[in-house]
């Protein structure tokens, strides 16, 4: 049996006819930038997340960077302010802080959830700390209740990196509605994925939203009148059309993933494999199903030999990346252990019961 880690063509097959119709409609419209598709998606995704504003941008990294840049323009952050960020995140979270000319301060995660540890936040924050970038890694909501409590205590901004957590829900509140603002990615492999790069910011702050609408479009609210040093980072009209087709099925996609995960965590029984923490709630949408093992190289080779695709999210922690030499002297034992041991298994709504059976059996036989 051959099971790829992810088959995007198969994943998008149910929408193919509507995609082609959308392309034809897009071409016929003659309107290719910031048109009705973008407006429709911004309204629909804001409603989905339970927020007042959604601002479509070019990609997930831009979403985070523009949030921070907007806060600087509004005077709520200043260049050189410190932003707390989990040490084991994907490098995009760190890059956003650096590109906004702020200072990322890395915080060890909780080994059980892989998300930023609120206890460590309280220990490490100083008078220079002005914001917390809470990453919902792999699709699981960070521990937002204590994070928000800490932020309120120290008057900190809370920004969600929700790039992997579309639809994750706790106490009836979705990812994107837990902080002052949130950045989303709609990269094709995401639970809600476009057919190219795409992103968005969600917020309940009208002042921030207005600034973001300007910054994404050259710092302009009125054509050829530029009030800020802006950027060109606009959600593509065609990608917005694709997302409008897929958005109504986002929660269904999450439910299918969780159904498979319930089998994984109940039926994989191998002492060499550490399964991810899951409390069987909707606070995890499992963009990725990530196990840990001290035998990662051997296990990956074994699974590949058995026809099961895997990936590593992520092999090198940010503080050890060549691009970030200023952090090379730091030590984060928990993060380093995570990056050394994680291995992602196939997980998406196209997996059949037979394929899930085979993955579970193969892992138990390792």
């Amino acid at each position: 049996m051959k099971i790829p880690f992810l088959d995007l063509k198969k994943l998008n097959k149910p929408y193919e006819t509507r995609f082609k119709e959308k392309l034809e409609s897009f071409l016929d419209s003659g309107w290719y930038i910031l048109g009705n598709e973008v407006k429709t998606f911004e309204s629909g995704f804001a409603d989905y997340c339970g927020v007042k504003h959604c601002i479509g941008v070019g990609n997930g990294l831009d979403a985070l960077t523009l949030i921070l840049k907007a806060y600087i323009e509004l005077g709520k952050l200043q260049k050189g302010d410190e932003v707390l960020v989990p040490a084991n995140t994907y490098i995009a979270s760190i890059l956003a802080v650096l590109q906004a000319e702020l200072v990322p301060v890395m915080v060890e995660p909780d080994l059980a959830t892989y998300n930023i540890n609120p206890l460590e936040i309280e220990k490490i924050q100083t008078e220079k700390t002005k914001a917390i970038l809470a990453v919902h890694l792999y699709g699981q909501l960070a521990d937002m209740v204590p994070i928000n409590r800490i932020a309120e205590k120290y008057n900190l901004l809370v920004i969600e990196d929700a790039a992997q957590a579309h639809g994750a829900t706790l106490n009836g509140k979705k990812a994107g509605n837990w902080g002052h603002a949130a950045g989303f990615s709609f990269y094709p492999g995401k639970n809600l994925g476009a057919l190219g790069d795409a992103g968005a910011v969600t917020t309940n702050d009208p002042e921030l939203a207005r600034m973001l609408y300007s910054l994404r479009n050259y710092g302009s609210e009125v054509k050829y009148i530029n009030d800020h040093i802006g950027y060109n980072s606009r959600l593509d009209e065609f990608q917005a059309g694709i997302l409008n087709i897929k958005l109504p099925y986002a929660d269904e996609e999450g439910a299918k993933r969780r159904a498979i995960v319930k089998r994984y965590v109940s039926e994989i029984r191998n002492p060499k494999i550490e399964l991810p923490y899951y409390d069987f709630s909707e606070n995890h949408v499992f963009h990725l199903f990530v196990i840990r093992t001290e035998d990662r190289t051997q296990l990956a080779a074994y699974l590949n030999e058995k026809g099961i695709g895997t990936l590593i999210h992520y092999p090198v922690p940010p503080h050890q990346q060549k691009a970030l030499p200023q952090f090379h002297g730091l030590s984060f034992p928990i993060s380093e252990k995570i990056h050394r041991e994680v291995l992602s298994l196939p997980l998406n709504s196209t997996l059949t019961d037979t394929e899930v059976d085979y993955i579970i059996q193969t892992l138990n036989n390792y």
Side-chain angles (χ1 to χ4, degrees), residues 62-106:
D62 283 0
L64 295 175
T65 305
L66 288 171
I67 291 169
L68 297 169
K69 291 277 193 177
Y71 278 130
I72 291 173
E73 290 287 335
L74 293 169
K76 295 185 178 181
L77 290 174
Q78 295 182 347
K79 293 177 183 179
D81 284 346
E82 293 183 352
V83 179
L84 303 185
V85 58
N88 64 313
T89 186
Y90 180 55
I91 196 172
S93 310
I94 310 293
L95 294 179
V97 179
L98 291 171
Q99 288 175 2
E101 298 181 78
L102 300 166
V103 179
V105 175
M106 299 185 201

Side-chain angles (χ1 to χ4, degrees), residues 13 95 141 150 157 257 282 317 328 360:
K13 187 69 176 175
L95 294 179
L141 282 173
I150 293 166
L157 292 169
R257 287 171 177 265
E282 294 185 355
H328 285 183
I360 293 168

Side-chain angles (χ1 to χ4, degrees), residues 10 37 74 89 100 113 147 202 209 240 264 314 319 366:
K10 188 176 181 181
E37 292 289 354
L74 293 169
T89 186
T113 65
I147 287 172
T202 58
Y264 279 170
Y314 303 95
H319 70 282
Y366 173 65

Side-chain angles (χ1 to χ4, degrees), residues 313-332:
H313 297 87
Y314 303 95
V316 182
H319 70 282
Q320 293 178 349
Q321 293 283 0
K322 182 180 178 181
L324 304 176
Q326 66 269 45
F327 303 112
H328 285 183
L330 300 178
S331 174
F332 296 102

Side-chain angles (χ1 to χ4, degrees), residues 93-219:
S93 310
I94 310 293
L95 294 179
V97 179
L98 291 171
Q99 288 175 2
E101 298 181 78
L102 300 166
V103 179
V105 175
M106 299 185 201
V107 182
E108 284 275 51
D110 182 327
L111 185 59
T113 65
Y114 308 130
N115 281 329
I116 194 167
N117 189 334
L119 297 176
E120 294 298 319
I121 290 175
E122 188 119 40
K123 287 181 196 173
I124 206 169
Q125 74 82 32
T126 70
E127 69 279 356
K128 295 180 181 179
T129 307
K130 301 300 178 185
I132 301 168
L133 183 54
V135 181
H136 306 317
L137 197 63
Y138 305 145
Q140 183 170 25
L141 282 173
D143 201 356
M144 296 306 297
V145 174
I147 287 172
N148 281 329
R149 191 182 304 127
I150 293 166
E152 187 173 350
K153 179 179 178 181
Y154 296 103
N155 194 29
L156 307 177
L157 292 169
V158 177
I159 299 155
E160 299 172 72
D161 181 342
Q164 301 181 351
H166 320 71
T169 306
L170 176 65
N171 298 333
K173 187 186 289 189
K174 278 189 166 71
N177 193 18
W178 280 94
H180 294 97
F184 284 88
S185 166
F186 306 109
Y187 182 78
K190 304 294 187 185
N191 292 25
L192 177 60
L195 298 184
D197 277 319
V201 175
T202 58
T203 184
N204 287 306
D205 182 344
E207 187 182 28
L208 178 67
R210 183 173 179 179
M211 180 61 70
L212 286 163
Y213 283 125
S214 175
L215 289 181
R216 75 171 179 185
N217 190 39
Y218 300 100

Side-chain angles (χ1 to χ4, degrees), residues 257-267 278 280-281:
R257 287 171 177 265
R258 281 191 289 266
I260 295 169
V261 168
K262 287 174 183 176
R263 290 203 57 199
Y264 279 170
V265 298
S266 300
E267 299 176 38
Y278 180 41
F280 290 85
S281 74

Side-chain angles (χ1 to χ4, degrees), residues 218-289:
Y218 300 100
S220 173
E221 293 183 46
V222 178
K223 195 168 186 178
Y224 303 133
I225 305 297
N226 303 85
D227 299 319
H228 309 280
I229 302 296
Y231 306 84
N232 177 15
S233 182
R234 302 170 297 208
L235 175 59
D236 181 81
E237 181 75 356
F238 176 65
Q239 300 302 341
I242 297 301
L243 293 169
N244 283 328
I245 291 170
K246 297 178 77 173
L247 178 58
Y249 303 96
D251 286 342
E252 181 181 325
E253 169 74 16
K256 287 178 179 178
R257 287 171 177 265
R258 281 191 289 266
I260 295 169
V261 168
K262 287 174 183 176
R263 290 203 57 199
Y264 279 170
V265 298
S266 300
E267 299 176 38
I268 295 173
R269 291 286 179 265
N270 189 317
K272 293 186 175 184
I273 295 170
E274 182 76 24
L275 297 172
Y277 170 78
Y278 180 41
D279 64 3
F280 290 85
S281 74
E282 294 185 355
N283 78 338
H284 204 328
V285 290
F286 286 97
H287 169 57
L288 298 168
F289 186 85

